[in-house]
Amino acid sequence: TWGPFWIQACRMANLLPLAALLAVAAAHVCLVDPHQRGVLSLEEPGDGSCFRRTPYCGGVAPGAPVRTFHAGAREHVVFQQNLNHWYPQKPGFFDFALAYTSTPTDADWTTLSTIDDYPGNDMVTQTNFSVEILIPAQRTASAAVLRIRYVSYNPLEIYPANNTDASFYNCADVAIVAQAAHVQETAPAPKAPVRAAVGPSCVSPSRWVAEGRTSSRVGIVTHRIFYDAVAQLVRWERRGNLWNETYNEQVLITNYTDLKDGPPEWVIYPRVQQCLTYGADGFYAWQYGPQNGMAWVRNDTLHDGQVVMIYSNPTNLFEWRVLADGCRPLGITQFNPEHNIVQDTQLDAHVTDSFPPGTFTPPAYCKTPLRHPSCRGSAL
């Protein structure tokens, strides 16, 4: 399971000559289980099989059912947010919907689950979500469609022009069969999106450096983050179990003040001196509280007496930790529906007045990019 602190894709890309093996196209939501219609590739972020922008299924033709659901039963499904397009001015969401026909219209969809988007603090992330949905008990169908939709509301992600909510789609063909009445389940009360002003909130210091470590069932990833909110510059180094030994070191450098074609985000692989640039989304502060879809849960006290504020979101199952004194980030934990830990990231942030020279400058081998076809163009 990938999580909120590593990997990437693009909106508009430039490639260096040595980066041909890493050429990618925009990709933002993928339906993993059940397997989405058509091709599905999660080898790296940015695969075109997950960039589908038109309702309801991105224009991919229906096929035979790939999974059977039971009417009235709770079923587990998995999707991946292939890029994080958090937009704090109007936070987005994911939703699952079911139609009892392979060629649905607007009136055919029944919404099963809604999950809040979350602030990844970098667009270049892949995050798997395990979700429990309740299949309605009233109907069966030999050919039905399960749809995942990511409504980002991010104005930098509007494509095509009439997709004004900046939405992404994928579908899976499924069958719905009956089951015994005594095992049918009832729907829990819906979990409302976290939007109310609940509890304290804080904004992290304007300049800091953090060391971190993410643990998950696929391995360990270490982090070093240089964060400059004043200049709107971020450098994020990731090392460990990323893709393979060749690409297990990654450096992300984003200059959010360069707005030509969207802020550029450099994705650099130092081991092989390969570079890509992507159009990042806009800068937003690293902060905690209801404005970021986080509800304050409690305060904990560390052994040294420092107070930690704990936030969570009941729809996306994330929990955030931050020091109350100075609002320094401490980490984030992702849970599954059974409340088991999927992955855990620990951070140790320290305030700084300045950064080493060249911190936010790409290396010399990144200076002459070649144009890659637009992520929204025929390369998909």
Side-chain angles (χ1 to χ4, degrees), residues 8 15-24 43-45 243-244 246-247 269 272 274-276 278 372:
Q8 105 277 336
L15 299 181
L16 291 177
L18 293 178
L21 294 177
L22 295 175
V24 295
E43 287 297 315
E44 59 189 27
W243 297 332
N244 55 47
T246 303
Y247 300 106
Y269 297 91
V272 289
Q274 293 181 351
C275 307
L276 302 88
Y278 296 101
H372 183 268

Side-chain angles (χ1 to χ4, degrees), residues 34-84:
H35 191 291
Q36 67 188 36
R37 286 180 176 179
V39 176
L40 168 64
S41 175
L42 302 177
E43 287 297 315
E44 59 189 27
D47 190 272
S49 66
C50 304
F51 182 79
R52 294 171 181 168
R53 304 304 305 271
T54 57
Y56 306 102
C57 304
V60 183
V66 296
R67 184 170 163 186
T68 298
F69 291 149
H70 292 84
R74 299 187 190 281
E75 303 280 3
H76 278 87
V77 294
V78 177
F79 73 94
Q80 183 184 99
Q81 182 191 49
N82 201 248
L83 276 180
N84 182 275

Side-chain angles (χ1 to χ4, degrees), residues 85 87 90-93 117 150-154 157 165-168:
H85 295 307
Y87 185 58
K90 187 178 182 181
F93 64 90
D117 198 4
Y150 176 20
V151 181
S152 74
Y153 294 128
N154 195 313
E157 299 302 328
D165 286 341
S167 297
F168 306 82

Side-chain angles (χ1 to χ4, degrees), residues 129-144:
F129 292 85
S130 177
V131 179
E132 189 177 72
I133 58 175
L134 178 64
I135 306 301
Q138 296 81 11
R139 296 182 62 182
T140 61
S142 59

Side-chain angles (χ1 to χ4, degrees), residues 11 20 25 42 44 54 74 89 98 107 117 139 193 201 204 213 221 230 259 285 289 296-297 342 346 362 368 373 376:
R11 185 169 62 255
L42 302 177
E44 59 189 27
T54 57
R74 299 187 190 281
Q89 292 87 336
L98 184 67
D117 198 4
R139 296 182 62 182
S201 61
S204 77
R213 173 187 172 99
V221 174
V230 177
L259 299 180
W296 176 78
V297 177
V342 174
Q346 306 284 339
T368 314
R376 299 189 179 97

Side-chain angles (χ1 to χ4, degrees), residues 157-178:
E157 299 302 328
I158 293 175
Y159 178 82
N162 63 351
N163 183 7
T164 55
D165 286 341
S167 297
F168 306 82
Y169 304 86
N170 255 306
C171 294
D173 295 289
V174 299
I176 313 295
V177 300

Side-chain angles (χ1 to χ4, degrees), residues 1 5 20 30 32 36 58 109 158 230 249 266 288 322 329 366 370:
T1 299
F5 285 116
C30 316
V32 179
Q36 67 188 36
W109 295 102
I158 293 175
V230 177
E249 181 179 356
W266 289 90
Y288 299 85
V322 58
C366 294
L370 298 177

Side-chain angles (χ1 to χ4, degrees), residues 280-295:
D281 292 327
F283 179 83
Y284 54 87
W286 198 304
Q287 59 187 347
Y288 299 85
Q291 72 276 17
N292 264 18
M294 306 172 185

